[in-house]
Structures are given as structure tokens and as C-alpha cells.
Amino acid sequence: MTDISTLIKSNIRTARNWPRPGVNFRDPSGVFSDVGTFQALVSWFGEIVYREKITRIAGIDARGFLIAGALAHATQLPLALVRKKGKLPPETIEASYSLEYGTASIEVQMGIVEKDDHLLLIDDLIATGGTIRAAIELFNRLGLQNITVGAIINLPELGGSRLLEEVGISVNCACSYAEDE
């Protein structure tokens, strides 16, 4: 049986020097288009849900929604959405984060979580960790302290997963890539 990392990596395409020179874009589209791989990924995240006693799933706009929605359905847990600014009706709270080319903002709706929830926050990729750290900030502001992070891809050389782990966040990634890989 193939381990999850090998299976996932066999369905990820690397676009070298895109969208600009020096960037290796890891495209997870193949993970979603291959039914068996997507099912295996959802099952892998399901094991985390049960092991960590997760009570709510959250997905980050946009590819995080795909995993989080399927996982919430499979585990019969409620789903919270972390959206780009301006995509949710009021009442929301917002956090901004830095990108390599500027800043962006995300939002969640007020009342979307309960203070005693144990949240599994899912995105497609952890690079510098800016988006996930902003989402954690939002959920912390809503009173939630018990958060686990999950992603398809980890780029550890960019430091995001390390920053999360340094503040006590459990990080679970299906695969990791070195920059020269």
C-alpha cells in the first residue's frame, strides 16, 4: 500500500519559475481530480479528526474549502468558512496578513464557532504561514483556543509550519517539499 505522502505527491504538478522566477508553484489540482487520491486524503484527515477529538472543521478560501467540505460531510461535523474579505455578509471579523507581493485580508462570521470547539483548520498549503496564522487570530478573537492545523502540502523551508509549532499549534501535512525537489 502506498503511503499518503507518495500518493499525494504523485498527483501534484510543480510549475517551476511560476508565477515569477525562483518560485516553484505546487499545484494540487491533480489531488482533487483523481477520485482515489482525494478519497485517501479525506480519509487521512478523518484519522486526525478522530485522534484529536475535533468538533468542527474550518476551510480557508478557496482550496481549503474542497477538503474541509468533504471532510465535514464524511465526519458529520459542522463546517466554518474562512473567506476573502468582502465575501461574507455581516457580521464578520477580519484579519490581514502579508504576502510576498502585498497584503490580503480574510474574514469569518461572528458566532461561527463555540468556545469549547476543537477546530481543525484546513488549507491546501503551508508556506510562510501568513494565511493560517491570520485565520487562527480570527478564531482566537472569537474565543477559540483549541486549534489543530492541516494542509495537503508543507513547504518547511519557508518557515510557516515551524512558526505554528513554536506557538503550540499541532500541524498535520500530507506531504512536504524541499525547494530543490
Side-chain angles (χ1 to χ4, degrees):
M1 184 173 155
T2 304
D3 69 71
I4 193 70
S5 178
T6 302
L7 179 62
I8 296 299
K9 283 183 162 187
S10 72
N11 286 279
I12 292 176
R13 181 176 69 101
T14 298
R16 303 228 180 261
N17 297 306
W18 191 85
R20 64 175 199 227
V23 174
N24 293 321
F25 183 82
R26 311 299 179 165
D27 180 10
S29 299
V31 172
F32 302 115
S33 66
D34 184 84
V35 174
T37 301
F38 189 50
Q39 287 175 334
L41 180 66
V42 171
S43 294
W44 181 81
F45 275 114
E47 292 171 13
I48 294 165
V49 165
Y50 294 112
R51 181 180 70 236
E52 300 286 332
K53 298 178 176 53
I54 301 296
T55 61
R56 188 175 306 262
I57 311 294
I60 296 177
D61 201 343
R63 287 183 292 250
F65 290 173
L66 299 171
I67 308 157
L71 183 61
H73 174 76
T75 59
Q76 299 183 3
L77 290 175
L79 176 64
L81 301 178
V82 180
R83 298 290 318 264
K84 293 176 179 129
K85 184 179 178 180
K87 301 294 183 182
L88 290 170
E91 196 173 327
T92 63
I93 60 171
E94 153 190 353
S96 296
Y97 58 98
S98 296
L99 301 164
E100 58 274 9
Y101 48 83
T103 61
S105 297
I106 53 175
E107 296 178 323
V108 295
Q109 288 179 309
M110 299 293 292
I112 196 68
V113 295
E114 303 292 328
K115 289 182 183 181
D116 61 344
D117 275 334
H118 184 172
L119 187 75
L120 176 57
L121 177 61
I122 299 176
D123 204 356
D124 63 330
L125 179 132
I126 301 174
T128 63
T131 309
I132 289 176
R133 289 193 327 259
I136 290 169
E137 174 192 328
L138 290 173
F139 288 116
N140 287 166
R141 287 172 41 201
L142 292 175
L144 194 60
Q145 297 302 313
N146 205 358
I147 300 172
T148 297
V149 167
I152 302 171
I153 303 166
N154 184 23
L155 303 176
E157 291 172 43
L158 298 180
S161 56
R162 179 184 42 78
L163 290 173
L164 294 167
E165 290 167 344
E166 285 175 355
V167 296
I169 302 290
S170 173
V171 177
N172 304 272
C173 298
C175 70
S176 293
Y177 280 95
E179 280 301 301
D180 62 356
E181 193 173 350

